[in-house]
Amino acid sequence: MIILDKGLTTREVEELLKKHGPNHFGGVARFSKFKLFVKQFRSPLIFILIIAGAATLLMQHWVDSVVIFLAIGINAFLGFYQENRAENALADLRSYIQERTRVIRDGKEAEVDAANIVPGDLIHLMPGSRIPADARIESVQDLNVDESILTGESLPVEKSVEPVSDGAALSERYNMVFGGTLVSNGSAYAVVTATGNETEIGKIAQLVEGTERELTPIQKAISRLAWIIAAGVLILVVGIFILGFYRGESVLEMFLISIAVAVGAIPEALPIGLTAVLAVGVERLAKRKGIMRDLTAAETLGSTTVIMTDKTGTLTLADMQLVDIVSREKLLSDGAEAQGNTAKERFSLEQKDLLYLASLNTDVLIENPEDEPQSWRLNGNPLEKNIVKSAALHGISLSERREKNMFQMLLPFNSSNKFSISRVTFDLDTDIIDRHKKEGLVVLGAPDVLLARSLLSKDEYLTLVARVEEMSLKGRRILGVAVASESSAKGQALANIQALEFLGVLAFYDPIRPGVIDAIKKIESYGVRVVIATGDIKGTALAVARGLGWSVREDSVLSGDELRQIDDRALEKSLEHVRVFARMTPEDKLRVARMYQRLGEVVAMTGDGVNDAPSLKAVDIGIAVGSGTDVAKGVADLVLLDDNFAIIVVAIEEGKRILRNIRKTFVYLLSNSLDEVVLIGGSLLAGLALPLTAIQIIWVNLFTGSLPAVAFAFDPDNETDVPEKKTEKKILNSEVKLLTLGIGTLSSLLLFVLYWSLMQTNIPEEVAKTFLFACFSSYILFVSFSFRSLSRPIFSYNIFSNSFLVGGVSLGLLLLLMTIYVPFLQPIFSTTALGPQWLMWVGVWVVLNVALVEFAKWLFYRRNN
């Protein structure tokens, strides 16, 4: 038997948790590492290598077989290592973004991990919270739930306690709420009926548990590109095989050469390198308190051009301190000069009355009520938390009044109404109370909204509005306090309440967060524009902007009312100079964001509430702060674990680093992809002996493509922070295309000219081929240092700062020297020891190719600047 005002006991919870298990549904089953490893062999390139290895085994070419299968094994290991790293980074997101739920146990309300909810628990649902499990509603106040995740219905569903028939469809069970859905408005108490896989969404999760993991858009794009390259290379390789066969080369040798050329020409390390860059970048960002919900969003983050940021908690500390309480009479008589009061100082009796009334219109959970108010841990709206703590510091305690049901929340605050209403039984003997016979309604909310609904003369209304505006211009957040009789609300919805008696205001101040000013300056130095979009009134928003050091005039601020009065053409023109958007509704934010996107901007937006969700979902990068609602986190691409604007700087920088590392991986791998094709094909056409053996080609490809490509993921940011053109915000921009084509063509032709020149001399063929092999292997290794930046010359940064790249190049160089100088390896790789003079010329060749890459970079940027 569940007692609604007490909830379950701790012992009952422990027993039920053992019986039903943790409240997990969907996303629990970890990926299979075995399947992930097997997946590495699905590549058509690996399949071709397996065929080649099997063929060499049948023909008893043992050395060729060992090298080919070694190549297969190392390539599969590198692919598995990086994909496993990426999977772990994404799977760990749940430990960062832990869902919490308010629940009543042992007669006390507390906030617990949603995973520990059990059937029978009495949960308290609030606006913006994600419902943790299926539950039956016991009491409700204007509850609306977004059930689109289950039913596909786009509009929120209004809930009630009225019973429904047993056979009612899921969408018609109005007295039930379901796990995974979102509270869009109102509040309720509900008893949990099912958790985990027994919930409606859990049943769906079980049905799709075995579904194949979907590739990300970037992975799909890379896969398509790889198939296009493979098709082109296949034609060339078939041509090479036919040419060799026509020239009289052995079928086996040409078969192995063709396979090796195909493997060398197709950048099979590209998916590995791309996954490494994204996974390492996302993991690095997570360590700095920024959680990217999927890998692909990380690339978009680096392309951001406009950030629409809210104010509270992001630009400010989200520590709304009550600094003044001003009655209506004070406002009308001599203005609203703040007295500098704080919660710890004494307010007058009149001020305490207003504070008391405001405290009766709050919904705040005190986790440790037995401690002193200064040490309270509070959950709820920041303003309401400050009201409750300030009231307690002045001897106004709500615990006894709550136990006696002396006040009840009728209408929770939401962004549409901009006020809340509670029914109150008063116990203070003051004029305010006596006017309403110790019972009535208390309304707390935006002062302009309350004033518009109050019984005031025109002069009183205009004076009060002006006084509130004066306070707002000083950076104060203002809440109005009003009362009404219940009879004034009868016959109409509470949201339409009129005939209020306006009593006064509470003034709060939220200090600018330390470091925000420098963070904004740094972001703007990247060419990213920062604008404020807030629900606060114009004066407060303007004061915050000036507090940030912005030179903001009146015409640089656009209010929601003004926004709704202009058409899209006028709005487009306004965006050129407006830096602050005040009194914004969700629809207003969405309209502004979409207008920016129509102008070609890549838009990021911060938000924390239910009202921010539409905009967070619509923009290119939605950023939710850690203290925000589950709704905001559910649609956001990036979640900040700390409500700090400085983390956005980190995220932008990391996004730019990811984007640059992806580009350099593209250019490095694709520019080297045609070397073997041009070299082998050119030699056959020119009637020259084959320059490289199959083992040499596979060996070079094995230790030159994958290792530097993966190492680029760990590169620090060597690029200058010059703003890019809007059209250059994609991965395959003109820089990548031109550098890939230019460097790839020149390096391939240069390598063939080198071999042709060697064959025209009297140098022994074995020495010439070994020298070519050394040049081919070493330049691809060392040129990776030049690719660490696509815009800066190599001498402008520390080329050895990436220890992973240095290690990869060193390992590749060591293996190259072993193939040339270790006696038992020489016959395997068809090499001979080279004298010091030859090594000197190898060094010259490396320098020449690095110079070639540097010249191509210089030529590109000279042409485009």
Side-chain angles (χ1 to χ4, degrees), residues 218 296-306 523-529 599-603 620-621 652 655-656 658-660 662-663 720-737:
I218 288 180
T296 57
E299 177 267 323
T300 308
L301 188 62
S303 305
T304 301
T305 59
V306 172
I523 284 182
E524 291 178 334
S525 72
Y526 297 153
V528 181
R529 187 181 181 193
L599 295 175
E601 305 286 358
V602 179
V603 182
D620 300 284
I621 291 289
I652 294 289
K656 286 182 176 292
I658 289 170
L659 186 60
R660 289 166 178 161
I662 287 175
R663 286 174 178 168
T720 54
D721 296 310
V722 178
E724 297 180 86
K725 300 175 183 177
K726 293 173 187 174
T727 55
E728 296 298 302
K729 294 295 183 179
K730 49 190 177 182
I731 295 177
L732 294 176
N733 59 6
S734 58
E735 173 191 51
V736 171
K737 293 175 183 177

Side-chain angles (χ1 to χ4, degrees), residues 295-598:
L295 294 179
T296 57
E299 177 267 323
T300 308
L301 188 62
S303 305
T304 301
T305 59
V306 172
I307 295 178
M308 295 176 61
T309 176
D310 60 352
K311 177 185 69 66
T312 305
T314 311
L315 301 178
T316 63
L317 287 173
D319 182 17
M320 280 292 181
Q321 302 166 6
L322 180 62
V323 294
D324 204 5
I325 301 175
V326 188
S327 68
R328 179 180 65 180
E329 288 71 23
K330 178 75 171 177
L331 290 168
L332 289 173
S333 61
D334 58 357
E337 291 296 325
Q339 302 301 312
N341 293 306
T342 67
K344 294 181 181 180
E345 297 174 357
R346 300 296 296 177
F347 287 119
S348 68
L349 180 60
E350 183 183 50
Q351 290 173 315
K352 286 183 63 177
D353 290 342
L354 285 172
L355 179 59
Y356 170 67
L357 289 175
S359 67
L360 295 175
N361 203 328
T362 59
D363 187 10
V364 174
L365 172 63
I366 306 172
E367 293 186 0
N368 54 332
E370 66 281 354
D371 295 342
E372 292 297 318
Q374 294 92 332
S375 304
W376 279 355
R377 295 188 302 274
L378 305 174
N379 291 297
N381 178 281
L383 288 178
E384 294 184 3
K385 289 192 296 184
N386 195 283
I387 290 172
V388 170
K389 181 176 285 189
S390 298
L393 290 171
H394 287 84
I396 303 171
S397 174
L398 301 181
S399 58
E400 182 180 348
R401 294 169 178 82
R402 181 176 279 118
E403 289 175 2
K404 294 180 179 179
N405 294 319
M406 296 177 68
F407 64 97
Q408 177 188 11
M409 182 68 71
L410 298 180
L411 182 68
F413 180 90
N414 63 58
S415 59
S416 298
N417 298 329
K418 292 187 170 61
F419 61 82
S420 58
I421 301 176
S422 62
R423 178 188 291 116
V424 175
T425 300
F426 302 103
D427 70 342
L428 285 183
D429 187 16
T430 68
D431 289 341
I432 292 176
I433 307 307
D434 286 343
R435 275 202 291 268
H436 296 286
K437 299 179 181 178
K438 301 187 181 298
E439 286 190 356
L441 303 178
V442 175
V443 186
L444 182 69
D448 54 337
V449 176
L450 268 56
L451 285 170
R453 296 166 180 256
S454 296
L455 298 172
L456 298 167
S457 68
K458 182 178 180 181
D459 288 343
E460 287 178 326
Y461 174 78
L462 293 176
T463 301
L464 290 171
V465 169
R467 298 307 186 204
V468 169
E469 183 69 17
E470 286 177 15
M471 299 179 74
S472 299
L473 287 173
K474 296 178 181 179
R476 303 295 190 259
R477 175 72 179 273
I478 311 299
L479 278 185
V481 181
V483 292
S485 62
E486 285 205 70
S487 60
S488 65
K490 288 182 179 179
Q492 60 180 337
L494 285 174
N496 298 325
I497 190 171
Q498 300 290 332
L500 302 180
E501 183 173 355
F502 190 80
L503 300 179
V505 296
L506 279 63
F508 300 83
Y509 180 68
D510 188 6
I512 299 292
R513 184 180 287 275
V516 163
I517 296 176
D518 291 337
I520 291 178
K521 288 180 179 178
K522 192 167 188 179
I523 284 182
E524 291 178 334
S525 72
Y526 297 153
V528 181
R529 187 181 181 193
V530 179
V531 297
I532 298 175
T534 178
D536 283 332
I537 61 179
K538 200 170 184 177
T540 304
L542 187 58
V544 170
R546 289 172 176 165
L548 294 172
W550 293 3
S551 180
V552 184
R553 304 187 308 272
E554 289 289 338
D555 62 350
S556 298
V557 183
L558 188 67
S559 71
D561 290 336
E562 295 166 337
L563 176 69
R564 290 184 286 275
Q565 293 174 13
I566 60 176
D567 59 19
D568 285 350
R569 176 172 292 184
L571 175 58
E572 179 180 334
K573 189 174 181 180
S574 298
L575 294 184
E576 297 175 3
H577 61 272
V578 172
R579 297 201 66 183
V580 178
F581 298 91
R583 225 31 165 174
M584 299 285 280
T585 66
E587 294 77 17
D588 295 334
K589 289 184 179 181
L590 190 57
R591 183 185 174 196
V592 171
R594 285 177 171 166
M595 180 57 70
Y596 273 125
Q597 289 174 315
R598 281 176 53 184

Side-chain angles (χ1 to χ4, degrees), residues 182-259:
L182 302 167
V183 178
S184 56
N185 188 49
S187 63
Y189 286 92
V191 175
V192 174
T193 58
T195 60
N197 289 330
E198 297 303 315
T199 62
E200 296 297 329
I201 196 171
K203 295 172 184 176
I204 297 174
Q206 285 183 300
L207 292 176
V208 299
E209 193 174 33
T211 303
E212 187 75 14
R213 295 178 65 85
E214 183 70 15
L215 292 177
T216 65
I218 288 180
Q219 289 171 326
K220 291 179 180 178
I222 300 305
S223 178
R224 287 194 298 268
L225 178 64
W227 278 107
I228 292 172
I229 295 173
V233 170
L234 181 62
I235 295 173
L236 294 174
V237 168
V238 171
I240 287 174
F241 180 84
I242 294 173
L243 275 174
F245 180 76
Y246 180 77
R247 267 189 42 179
E249 303 288 346
S250 71
V251 173
L252 175 61
E253 181 66 15
M254 286 313 303
F255 173 73
L256 294 176
I257 285 286
S258 298
I259 293 296

